[in-house]
């Protein structure tokens, strides 16, 4: 075989190997992204349940304060719960959009960015969903009592004030703890992992694995 023929054959073999490697890498991308999406399915299921249930309760709260329109403090309690549930619906819908943006057909780097946006969103919004319950349990108790024909605020105002005071102390303590964690990287990272959730962290690990493989 002539030297030129050997060189051309070698170049053709290189091109085939490059195409083979590119195809294998593409398959790895798709599998990694599919794996990431599958790990987000429990989160999607929970978000759908959360959003649908909160949406139904929004109408229940509207019906409650409409039925007690002649009692201002009951209207206020119902409206406060309704506002919180509306926030849950809006935040849940936004999060569902972010989850669905993870697309196996897109490059891994782009999906990593989208997952990072989702993670940052969950870390930022988790306090808005959890912390209010330090105080929200009070209007909830008032509404439940009102449905049973009892006005808890009129009947036991001391109990209501005590519950609000305890809730305020708990809320302030948690806020102080969160603020203190900002100066402790390990604690802050642990809190962020907890806020982002297991599904997001596992999906992130799946995409990071293929990214490390590419760099190697």
């Amino acid at each position: 075989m002539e030297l030129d023929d050997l060189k051309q054959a070698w170049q053709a073999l290189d091109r085939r190997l490059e195409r083979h490697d590119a195809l294998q890498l593409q398959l790895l991308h798709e599998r990694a992204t599919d794996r990431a999406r599958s790990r987000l399915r429990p989160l999607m299921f929970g978000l759908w349940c959360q959003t649908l249930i909160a949406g139904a309760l929004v109408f229940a709260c509207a019906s409650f304060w409409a039925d007690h329109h002649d009692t201002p403090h009951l209207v206020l309690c119902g409206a406060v719960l309704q506002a919180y549930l509306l926030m849950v619906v809006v935040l849940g819908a936004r999060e569902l959009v972010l989850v669905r943006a993870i697309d196996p057909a897109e490059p891994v780097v782009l999906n990593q960015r989208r997952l990072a946006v989702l993670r940052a969103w969950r870390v930022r919004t988790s306090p808005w969903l959890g912390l209010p319950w330090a105080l929200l349990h009070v209007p909830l108790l008032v509404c439940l009592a009102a449905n049973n024909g009892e006005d808890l605020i009129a009947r036991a105002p001391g109990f209501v004030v005590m519950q609000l005071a305890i809730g305020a102390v708990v809320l302030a303590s948690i806020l102080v703890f969160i603020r203190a964690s900002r100066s402790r990287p390990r604690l802050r990272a642990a809190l962020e992992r907890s806020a982002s959730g297991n599904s997001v962290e596992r999906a992130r690990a799946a995409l990071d694995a293929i990214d490390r493989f590419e760099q190697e």
Side-chain angles (χ1 to χ4, degrees):
M1 182 180 291
E2 296 291 339
L3 183 59
D4 290 341
D5 293 336
L6 182 60
K7 184 177 180 180
Q8 290 177 2
W10 188 261
Q11 290 174 345
L13 180 59
D14 281 344
R15 287 193 295 270
R16 289 181 182 178
L17 289 174
E18 288 176 359
R19 288 196 296 269
H20 178 268
D21 289 344
L23 179 60
Q24 291 297 318
L25 187 57
Q26 182 180 357
L27 291 174
L28 286 173
H29 284 178
E30 293 176 357
R31 289 175 183 174
T33 309
D34 282 337
R35 192 179 302 115
R37 288 208 66 175
S38 67
R39 292 176 178 179
L40 290 173
R41 284 172 188 163
L43 174 62
M44 288 190 67
F45 177 76
L47 286 172
W48 275 113
C49 292
Q50 168 189 303
T51 304
L52 292 174
I53 293 172
L57 291 176
V58 166
F59 294 100
C61 288
S63 176
F64 171 83
W65 61 256
D67 292 340
H68 298 86
H69 63 276
D70 55 340
T71 310
H73 57 265
L74 294 182
V75 172
L76 178 61
C77 289
V80 167
L81 289 175
Q82 186 182 30
Y84 171 80
L85 291 167
L86 280 171
M87 180 184 69
V88 172
V89 171
V90 172
L91 296 182
R94 170 60 178 163
E95 196 166 330
L96 281 169
V97 171
L98 294 176
V99 173
R100 291 181 65 85
I102 310 298
D103 186 358
E106 298 287 352
V108 171
V109 173
L110 182 57
N111 283 317
Q112 282 181 311
R113 292 174 183 172
R114 290 172 176 171
L115 191 60
V117 171
L118 171 63
R119 186 178 188 273
W121 173 265
R122 287 181 59 82
V123 171
R124 186 167 60 251
T125 60
S126 289
W128 289 95
L129 295 174
L131 293 182
W133 281 108
L135 298 173
L136 278 180
H137 71 284
V138 177
L140 178 61
L141 289 174
V142 171
C143 292
L144 291 176
N147 280 332
N148 292 326
E150 296 184 5
D151 189 338
L152 190 61
I153 293 179
R155 183 176 178 179
F159 172 78
V160 173
V161 171
M162 181 183 67
Q163 290 298 315
L164 287 173
I166 293 174
V169 171
V170 171
L171 180 59
S173 301
I174 296 175
L175 290 174
V176 169
F177 175 75
I178 293 175
R179 185 176 181 84
S181 69
R182 295 176 181 174
S183 59
R184 300 180 180 180
R186 290 186 179 180
L187 179 57
R188 181 177 181 177
L191 291 177
E192 288 182 354
R193 286 194 299 270
S194 177
S196 65
N198 186 54
S199 293
V200 173
E201 293 299 322
R202 292 178 64 211
R204 184 186 181 193
L207 293 181
D208 288 347
I210 189 63
D211 185 54
R212 287 194 299 270
F213 175 79
E214 286 184 342
Q215 292 177 3
E216 294 173 357

